[in-house]
Amino acid sequence: MNRHLRVRTAAAVLALSVICLMNSPAAGGAPAGETPAQRDQRMAWWRQARFGLFVHWGLYSGLAGTWEGKPVGTRGGMEWIQQRVKADTDTYTKAAFPLFKPKEGFAREWAQLAREAGCRYLVFTTKHHDGFALHDSKVSDFDAGNLLGRDLVCEIVQAARARRLRVGFYHSVIDWHHDQYAYQKSQQLPHPLKGRPYPNGERDHAKYKAFLRAQVDELVSRYPVDILWWDYSAIDFQGQEAWNAFDLMERVRAKRPRIIMNNRLFRSREAGWAGMGTEGYLPQLDPKYGDFITPEQHIPDTGMPGVDWETCMTMNTTWGYSAHDHAWKSSATLIRNLVDIASKGGNYLLNIGPKGDGSVPEESVRALRDIGAWMRVNGEAIYGTTASPYEKLAWGRCTQKAGKGGPERLYLHVFDWPRNGRLEIPALRGSEPVKAWLLAGGGKATVSPTGRTWTVQVPATAPDPVVSVVALKLEPAR
Ligand code: FHN
């Protein structure tokens, strides 16, 4: 990093430290009446980023999928361990808190890893369903400030900013700790005490919604945040009734006009999703519901044309750390997922679940470093690209970069290298290919238009064992 950038970064981190310490209020001004062009401008960095690191870390991390000395399971979300063992909040906290010991510098390790992997943003859990807040909250004593004497959100934000990462807050609206969260209002949302009467008498959910608003106000006022990743609603409990959703979003936008938010305060077709999948999605999303849709643990077969979308995915099968889940996806699978998602015009939010001390599981470190090695050679074929102009390609995927008069770059991501050294792609009307080259290995490639197809000649062997990229330079057809 050159000296000028070092000075600028240090100044930014210093300023952030002051903000974190002084909890200074942020500027106001909602993007009410935002034009499509203004929205495109606000979304631009996110669309160009294509790749982010998701981090699930909280009290559950120290339990590592183990309860009373036994594994709770080997698959599925161990950030749900409280719900899976049906523990009330006191029993859960008594077991979990002694094992949650954030080591010095944990956040710098995350930020370094995210950068090494080629991630452009980092989204982390400020509070998950167990209700434990990682910041030093003035409206709760179930937080890192009170229990640890630390503001872990501030540590993470500072570390991310120092690595020039954009920052996102995952914030759970579901809360298994708060004694006014009226879990009986939903048959579909999870709660450890579901089916049992409220242990402390009738609950006033309006009081929980006021608490939720106060904590969100703290988070978006105190820290420079770029994304708010809400999680999550059910068809039978969502929106205004469940969370005062529209008010929440307006307050956030008023404090952070350029913030980007997902649509998970709602759960309906017009709000972009009914299920966890993408079935029934509509090719438009009113920003009043959020800015992007979040297909979880899968890649929509044909992408989600017409909306901004981001696939969130675990590396094994759990979001929060588990010592018993060894179903790790290979680095090759993760790299091909990233390519597949970018070729469909989406973002990839790939998750790590750090341990109770904040350290990252070795399997995740290895995978992120493998992805980073690929991105250092091929990143231009992912960052700032848009969806393929082609429906399907038998041998791989395609991304593109637009020029003034149409596409000026095509990137052919070859999964299955052609034995005959030849790739055929449909000619693009109005363009002609003028140059071809390989991003890896330095081998020679050529491209020649032959009527309705373009023929790309490549060397006999693939330069990359996972995905080899052939770049094509296009010019408007003469
Ligand atoms: O219940 C959560 C789950 O623990 C995890 O945080 C995922 C991440 O998208 N969201 C919810 C399930 O959809």
Coordinates of all heavy atoms in Angstrom, one line a residue, residues 57-64 66 93-102 355-358:
W57 N -21.0 -15.1 14.1 CA -20.1 -15.2 15.3 C -20.9 -14.5 16.4 O -21.4 -13.4 16.3 CB -18.8 -14.4 15.0 CG -17.8 -14.6 16.1 CD1 -17.2 -15.8 16.6 CD2 -17.2 -13.6 16.9 NE1 -16.3 -15.5 17.6 CE2 -16.3 -14.2 17.8 CE3 -17.4 -12.2 17.0 CZ2 -15.5 -13.5 18.7 CZ3 -16.6 -11.5 17.8 CH2 -15.7 -12.1 18.7
G58 N -21.0 -15.3 17.5 CA -21.7 -14.9 18.7 C -21.5 -15.9 19.8 O -20.6 -16.8 19.7
L59 N -22.3 -15.8 20.9 CA -22.2 -16.7 22.0 C -22.2 -18.2 21.6 O -21.5 -19.0 22.1 CB -23.4 -16.4 23.0 CG -23.3 -15.2 23.8 CD1 -24.4 -15.2 24.9 CD2 -22.0 -15.0 24.5
Y60 N -23.0 -18.5 20.6 CA -23.2 -19.9 20.1 C -21.8 -20.4 19.6 O -21.6 -21.6 19.6 CB -24.2 -20.0 19.0 CG -24.1 -18.9 17.9 CD1 -23.2 -19.0 16.9 CD2 -24.9 -17.7 18.0 CE1 -23.0 -17.9 16.0 CE2 -24.7 -16.7 17.1 CZ -23.8 -16.8 16.1 OH -23.7 -15.8 15.2
S61 N -20.9 -19.5 19.2 CA -19.7 -20.0 18.5 C -18.8 -20.8 19.5 O -18.2 -21.8 19.1 CB -18.9 -18.8 18.0 OG -19.7 -18.0 17.2
G62 N -18.8 -20.4 20.8 CA -18.0 -21.1 21.8 C -18.5 -22.5 22.1 O -17.8 -23.4 22.4
L63 N -19.9 -22.7 21.9 CA -20.5 -24.0 22.2 C -20.1 -25.0 21.1 O -20.0 -26.2 21.3 CB -22.0 -23.9 22.2 CG -22.5 -23.1 23.5 CD1 -24.0 -22.9 23.4 CD2 -22.3 -24.0 24.7
A64 N -19.8 -24.5 19.9 CA -19.2 -25.3 18.8 C -20.1 -26.5 18.4 O -19.6 -27.6 18.1 CB -17.8 -25.7 19.1
T66 N -21.9 -28.2 20.5 CA -21.9 -29.2 21.6 C -22.7 -28.7 22.7 O -22.6 -27.6 23.1 CB -20.4 -29.4 22.1 OG1 -19.6 -29.8 20.9 CG2 -20.4 -30.5 23.1
T93 N -27.2 -18.9 28.2 CA -26.1 -18.0 28.4 C -25.1 -18.5 29.5 O -23.9 -18.4 29.3 CB -26.7 -16.6 29.0 OG1 -27.7 -16.2 28.0 CG2 -25.6 -15.6 29.1
K94 N -25.6 -19.2 30.5 CA -24.7 -19.8 31.5 C -23.7 -20.8 30.8 O -22.5 -20.9 31.2 CB -25.6 -20.5 32.5 CG -25.0 -20.5 34.0 CD -25.9 -21.0 35.0 CE -27.1 -20.0 35.3 NZ -28.2 -20.6 36.0
A95 N -24.2 -21.6 29.9 CA -23.4 -22.6 29.2 C -22.5 -21.9 28.2 O -21.3 -22.3 28.0 CB -24.3 -23.6 28.5
A96 N -23.0 -20.9 27.5 CA -22.2 -20.4 26.3 C -21.2 -19.3 26.7 O -20.1 -19.3 26.1 CB -23.2 -19.8 25.3
F97 N -21.6 -18.4 27.6 CA -20.7 -17.2 27.8 C -19.3 -17.6 28.2 O -18.4 -17.0 27.7 CB -21.4 -16.3 28.8 CG -20.5 -15.1 29.1 CD1 -20.2 -14.2 28.1 CD2 -19.9 -14.9 30.4 CE1 -19.3 -13.1 28.3 CE2 -19.1 -13.8 30.6 CZ -18.8 -13.0 29.6
P98 N -19.1 -18.5 29.1 CA -17.7 -18.8 29.5 C -16.8 -19.3 28.3 O -15.6 -19.3 28.4 CB -17.8 -20.0 30.5 CG -19.2 -19.9 31.0 CD -20.1 -19.4 29.9
L99 N -17.5 -19.7 27.3 CA -16.7 -20.3 26.1 C -16.5 -19.2 25.0 O -15.9 -19.5 24.0 CB -17.4 -21.5 25.5 CG -17.7 -22.6 26.5 CD1 -18.6 -23.7 25.9 CD2 -16.4 -23.3 26.9
F100 N -17.0 -18.0 25.2 CA -16.9 -17.0 24.2 C -15.8 -16.0 24.7 O -16.1 -15.1 25.5 CB -18.3 -16.3 24.1 CG -18.3 -15.2 23.0 CD1 -18.2 -15.6 21.7 CD2 -18.5 -13.9 23.3 CE1 -18.2 -14.6 20.7 CE2 -18.6 -12.9 22.3 CZ -18.4 -13.3 21.0
K101 N -14.6 -16.2 24.1 CA -13.5 -15.4 24.6 C -12.7 -14.8 23.5 O -11.7 -15.3 23.0 CB -12.5 -16.3 25.4 CG -13.1 -17.0 26.6 CD -12.2 -17.9 27.2 CE -12.8 -18.6 28.5 NZ -12.1 -19.9 28.8
P102 N -13.2 -13.7 22.9 CA -12.6 -13.1 21.7 C -11.2 -12.7 22.0 O -10.9 -12.0 22.9 CB -13.5 -11.8 21.5 CG -14.8 -12.1 22.2 CD -14.4 -12.9 23.4
K355 N -14.6 -19.5 15.6 CA -14.7 -20.2 16.9 C -15.0 -19.1 18.0 O -15.0 -17.9 17.8 CB -13.5 -21.0 17.2 CG -13.2 -22.0 16.1 CD -11.8 -22.7 16.4 CE -11.5 -23.7 15.2 NZ -10.2 -24.4 15.4
G356 N -15.1 -19.6 19.2 CA -15.5 -18.8 20.4 C -14.4 -17.7 20.6 O -14.7 -16.6 21.1
D357 N -13.2 -17.9 20.2 CA -12.1 -16.9 20.4 C -11.9 -16.0 19.2 O -11.1 -15.2 19.1 CB -10.8 -17.6 20.8 CG -10.2 -18.4 19.6 OD1 -10.9 -18.6 18.6 OD2 -9.1 -18.9 19.7
G358 N -12.8 -16.3 18.2 CA -12.7 -15.4 16.9 C -11.8 -16.0 15.9 O -11.8 -15.5 14.7

